[in-house]
Amino acid sequence: MADNVTEFIEMMSQSGKSHIKVQTAWATVKSVDWNKKTMTATGVRDGLDYYNVSLGVGAIFIKPKSDTLCLIGMIENKDAAWMLLDAKEAIAVEVKVGDVKVAIDGIAGKWMVNNEQTGLKDILTKIHDTILNLKVNTPSGPSVGLLPDTVADLGEIDIKINQLLMD
């Protein structure tokens, strides 16, 4: 008798599970609107388009590469509310923790670290400019500036700062 009850409970559980909506889906990124932080994706299994898929909730946003495989999840069982959970390839990411924001742009090959007061690029640029305009006191009086090799090195550093960091 107990075996029949166990079998009945299992059958009811399986029957109930068959009516539960899919909570996640594999999809291919169709298009991305980075300004709105949304995308359109096409389901791998069903070929249906998922519109206005959120790229994040607020702390982390992922900009997936077009035509890449991604995993999306339904929010609170609402068919029209989906969000990106992860992507095989990303071309940009934004992370905000407190008042600190970190952004990485894989296409431009640049990154940025800012808080509400200043950014890393601003600080490095200020240091660069201060050193470039440095005057040194010597026994014969103040020097008029840095040696040409030093100025050239600082020029290379400025180029690298601009190549690596976003505003």
Side-chain angles (χ1 to χ4, degrees):
M1 178 82 167
D3 288 334
N4 290 340
V5 172
T6 304
E7 185 179 337
F8 177 73
I9 291 171
E10 267 185 47
M11 287 174 41
M12 291 303 292
S13 174
Q14 289 175 358
S15 174
K17 287 179 184 176
S18 69
H19 299 290
I20 296 173
K21 292 184 200 175
V22 173
Q23 302 293 314
T24 59
W26 288 106
T28 303
V29 177
K30 192 171 184 179
S31 64
V32 176
D33 186 335
W34 191 232
N35 293 326
K36 292 182 179 178
K37 301 293 191 262
T38 61
M39 73 172 184
T40 300
T42 304
V44 170
R45 188 182 61 163
D46 57 16
L48 297 175
D49 282 344
Y50 296 87
Y51 299 98
N52 297 315
V53 177
S54 176
L55 299 179
V57 181
I60 301 172
F61 289 99
I62 300 171
K63 181 180 183 182
K65 182 179 177 184
S66 289
D67 299 320
T68 198
L69 185 65
C70 63
L71 181 61
I72 58 176
M74 185 186 296
I75 302 170
E76 295 186 350
N77 289 333
K78 295 180 182 172
D79 290 330
W82 290 84
M83 75 172 288
L84 176 66
L85 300 175
D86 203 357
K88 186 145 178 106
E89 292 183 68
I91 56 176
V93 176
E94 287 181 4
V95 178
K96 188 164 175 26
V97 179
D99 69 343
V100 177
K101 181 178 176 182
V102 177
I104 302 169
D105 183 334
I107 299 295
K110 293 185 175 191
W111 57 281
M112 177 260 312
V113 177
N114 287 351
N115 65 20
E116 291 179 2
Q117 291 79 35
T118 190
L120 180 60
K121 184 175 181 180
D122 295 336
I123 294 168
L124 292 176
T125 300
K126 180 72 173 165
I127 292 169
H128 171 270
D129 293 346
T130 300
I131 293 170
L132 193 58
N133 295 312
L134 190 64
K135 304 261 187 282
V136 179
N137 287 325
T138 65
S140 60
S143 68
V144 291
L146 300 171
L147 298 172
D149 288 345
T150 305
V151 172
D153 289 344
L154 286 171
E156 287 179 32
I157 290 170
D158 188 47
I159 290 169
K160 289 180 180 181
I161 288 171
N162 288 310
Q163 287 174 340
L164 185 62
L165 297 174
M166 295 185 278
D167 291 319

